[in-house]
Amino acid sequence: MRNLTLMTDLYQLTMMYGYFTQGMRDDIAIFDLFFRENRENSAYAVAAGLESVIEYINNLHFSAEDIEYLRSLNLFDEDFLAYLRKMTFTGELHAMPEGTLVFPFEPLLRVKAPIMEAQLIETALLTLVNHQTLIASKASRVVYAANGDAVIEFGLRRAQGPDAGVYGARAAVIGGCTGTSNVLAGQIFDIPVKGTHAHSWVMSFEDEVSAFRAYAHTFPDSCLLLVDTYDTLASGVPNAITVFNELREAGYEPMGIRLDSGDLAYLSKKARRMLDDAGYPDAKIFASSDLDEMVIRDLKAQGAKIDFWGVGTRMITSSDQPALGGVYKLSAVIRDGKMIPAMKLSDNSGKITNPGYKKVYRLYKKKNGKAIADLMTLFDEQIDESKPLRIFDPGQTWKTMELTDFTARELLVPVFIDGKQVYKTPDVHEISAYAKQELSTMWEEYKRVLNPHVYKVDLSDKLYDLKQALLREGRK
């Protein structure tokens, strides 16, 4: 387990030093980690990265080498360095479980801890949650567009570094991918690994059919041949069929072919007909080549005969949105036993935060289990399902709805209490199944790839009134 304690911005340490010298080390801070906007043409994100957060906090400590490096910066006195040498995380952390569908402005994580501890962990939490949530969300869209076809994560060679490749593969599985080409991710997370051969395999033999024969001889039980090295329809598919016939004579059935270039809709339909006519209706067609949810959606609309999708660059890099934009904002301070709500003001209304120590509920229709809206409340509020509940749009308060036949689920669950882990981390396959179940609670209008309906995230009356009161105070 790596010690990532110094994976932070310098200003976290300088602020900690300020709290230390100003006698504020006993203050308790409450921070919310959230994002402000969904990606374009998406109504939701998929929470990911909590397992990495847990590993980070469990191993949070300043080593002797860390302290020596900080001493060399000539910024901190010896009393502060001695404090850091003994420091661990002693606070609370609540989080939405990985795989939960999440929406703008609601806390994915809520931290309540001594202010120096809560400040230190900001950068690492954002790094871990921002990236993995981003990739899980992109993968979820790709898998939705594939409409039941298997999607394999193929992006390691294009990822922005080893960690992005390994943890991006895990996040893609949370989003619904059924496997990865990344062998290290397969080993670490017990993810099925998939792959065939490259064009270089075909090019290294005297001719295409010899390359196919050699591969079939090596992997007779799982023979899937890349057919577009030279000419897909004139040589690739016919040569694959020749080798498939030889495999069948030897008592094996081929897996299929892979297309990696060209007009995938046209080529897949032609290849499907050739395979069927040759007696291989069960042979699968696997496609790759710069795919994403938009391309897959269009290919399916054109009747492409593709059974499996290998998605690489555009998913592992989230090419249409390179950052989630998650932030970590102070929402309250407890000083001398008194809770003091905090709120960031801004000329940009989208950057005004929600104050106070908060909870998040998801409200469902009782008769069909579909999600209606999320409701943020203050910590001391409880929802009584036996009574009507009025909710309203906090930006357009005249838009209201009264719920009478609903259930409510609190989304933030305890992960650390008094610095001790109390949450059992599920494996990635359990998380993926949970994410799939989460999607089933959403109406199709929220999931469509283009122009989805906006999901409602509302504030309770009490939280709304607190926010308005602080806004009025802030204008004085």
Side-chain angles (χ1 to χ4, degrees):
M1 185 180 294
R2 294 179 298 175
N3 179 4
L4 300 179
T5 304
L6 285 190
M7 190 178 75
T8 191
D9 293 303
L10 179 61
Y11 79 171
Q12 311 291 11
L13 291 162
T14 56
M15 283 188 284
M16 290 170 66
Y17 188 41
Y19 297 141
F20 185 85
T21 60
Q22 296 302 310
M24 297 171 63
R25 72 176 80 172
D26 294 328
D27 288 358
I28 302 298
I30 298 169
F31 281 88
D32 298 332
L33 189 156
F34 61 94
F35 64 98
R36 295 190 177 104
E37 292 181 339
N38 281 314
R39 69 189 322 126
E40 186 178 0
N41 285 316
S42 184
Y44 67 90
V46 179
L50 179 58
E51 181 176 282
S52 296
V53 167
I54 292 170
E55 291 177 356
Y56 160 73
I57 289 180
N58 275 329
N59 199 39
L60 187 71
H61 69 281
F62 289 90
S63 68
E65 292 80 8
D66 295 339
I67 297 299
E68 187 58 37
Y69 172 71
L70 294 177
R71 181 179 288 114
S72 74
L73 299 179
N74 296 316
L75 292 171
F76 312 114
D77 66 22
E78 289 301 319
D79 287 344
F80 179 65
L81 294 176
Y83 178 91
L84 294 185
R85 187 69 185 89
K86 298 178 181 179
M87 181 177 173
T88 60
F89 184 76
T90 64
E92 297 180 9
L93 185 146
H94 287 68
M96 295 190 186
E98 291 186 280
T100 302
L101 299 192
V102 292
F103 302 93
F105 295 104
E106 57 188 29
L108 280 65
L109 276 70
R110 186 187 69 217
V111 174
K112 179 184 177 185
I115 194 166
M116 292 173 64
E117 298 172 23
Q119 194 72 67
L120 172 64
I121 65 177
E122 173 183 1
T123 301
L125 264 56
L126 286 170
T127 298
L128 298 169
V129 172
N130 270 335
H131 173 253
Q132 294 182 52
T133 299
L134 181 73
I135 305 306
S137 305
K138 179 68 170 180
S140 179
R141 287 171 54 77
V142 171
V143 170
Y144 180 77
N147 194 30
D149 299 341
V151 177
I152 313 300
E153 186 279 313
F154 258 32
L156 177 59
R157 64 184 61 193
R158 303 287 176 79
Q160 282 111 341
D163 278 0
V166 170
Y167 287 93
R170 179 183 181 274
V173 171
I174 290 173
C177 290
T178 59
T180 180
S181 66
N182 186 330
V183 179
L184 182 57
Q187 179 193 38
I188 295 172
F189 304 117
D190 191 28
I191 299 170
V193 290
K194 306 290 183 180
T196 55
H197 61 80
H199 296 108
S200 57
W201 171 269
V202 178
M203 295 163 64
S204 65
F205 286 81
E206 183 177 350
D207 52 47
E208 188 174 53
V209 73
S210 297
F212 288 174
R213 283 194 179 108
Y215 194 82
H217 178 76
T218 307
F219 299 103
D221 291 312
S222 57
C223 181
L224 193 147
L225 301 173
L226 178 61
V227 296
D228 71 329
T229 303
Y230 302 120
D231 189 314
T232 300
L233 300 180
S235 68
V237 177
N239 282 332
I241 289 171
T242 295
V243 173
F244 290 170
N245 290 336
E246 295 169 1
L247 266 178
R248 182 172 282 175
E249 289 176 4
Y252 299 98
E253 281 297 311
M255 182 176 291
I257 63 170
R258 176 180 158 214
L259 303 172
D260 189 49
S261 62
D263 186 329
L264 296 179
Y266 172 78
L267 292 174
S268 66
K269 286 185 278 189
K270 289 291 187 180
R272 179 75 274 159
R273 182 175 300 174
M274 294 167 72
L275 290 167
D276 290 350
D277 289 347
Y280 295 99
D282 295 329
K284 305 301 183 184
I285 298 179
F286 188 105
S288 47
S289 183
D290 290 328
L291 300 172
D292 63 12
E293 67 271 35
M294 298 301 184
V295 175
I296 292 173
R297 171 182 173 272
D298 287 348
L299 287 170
K300 293 186 78 70
Q302 294 165 37
K305 301 297 183 182
I306 295 169
D307 304 292
F308 299 96
W309 306 86
V311 185
T313 303
R314 295 184 183 181
M315 184 164 66
I316 201 67
T317 64
S318 185
S319 60
D320 59 322
Q321 182 186 336
L324 180 71
V327 295
Y328 183 85
K329 296 298 181 183
L330 184 72
S331 62
V333 175
I334 301 174
R335 182 173 296 135
D336 299 325
K338 181 181 179 182
M339 175 84 69
I340 306 168
M343 184 175 72
K344 180 186 182 301
L345 299 179
S346 174
D347 291 335
N348 180 346
S349 61
K351 289 194 171 184
I352 297 174
T353 61
N354 293 307
Y357 190 22
K358 296 179 292 296
K359 297 188 290 189
V360 185
Y361 289 93
R362 184 151 298 159
L363 309 174
Y364 301 90
K365 286 186 176 291
K366 188 175 290 185
K367 65 180 181 179
N368 60 16
K370 294 294 185 183
I372 304 167
D374 285 6
L375 182 66
M376 283 191 280
T377 75
L378 292 175
F379 190 77
D380 60 357
E381 296 186 78
Q382 300 293 329
I383 292 179
D384 187 345
E385 297 175 4
S386 68
K387 296 180 180 179
L389 176 67
R390 185 187 74 93
I391 59 175
F392 62 94
D393 184 320
Q396 303 174 77
T397 55
W398 62 90
K399 294 183 177 180
T400 66
M401 179 186 301
E402 184 170 280
L403 307 180
T404 57
D405 188 28
F406 70 96
T407 59
R409 176 169 71 106
E410 192 172 342
L411 297 182
L412 291 162
V413 302
V415 180
F416 285 88
I417 300 294
D418 295 330
K420 305 297 183 184
Q421 181 181 339
V422 296
Y423 177 78
K424 184 179 184 301
T425 306
D427 67 38
V428 70
H429 305 292
E430 293 171 312
I431 296 169
S432 181
Y434 167 65
K436 185 177 180 180
Q437 191 277 329
E438 279 277 278
L439 276 170
S440 74
T441 68
M442 291 287 154
W443 298 95
E444 291 300 312
E445 289 82 355
Y446 297 122
K447 296 185 281 187
R448 62 186 177 225
V449 171
L450 285 176
N451 300 318
H453 194 59
V454 177
Y455 185 80
K456 303 171 187 66
V457 178
D458 298 335
L459 307 182
S460 69
D461 290 346
K462 192 172 180 179
L463 175 54
Y464 180 82
D465 290 344
L466 173 63
K467 185 173 184 178
Q468 295 305 309
L470 292 179
L471 282 170
R472 287 190 294 271
E473 290 177 13
R475 287 197 293 267
K476 291 180 180 179

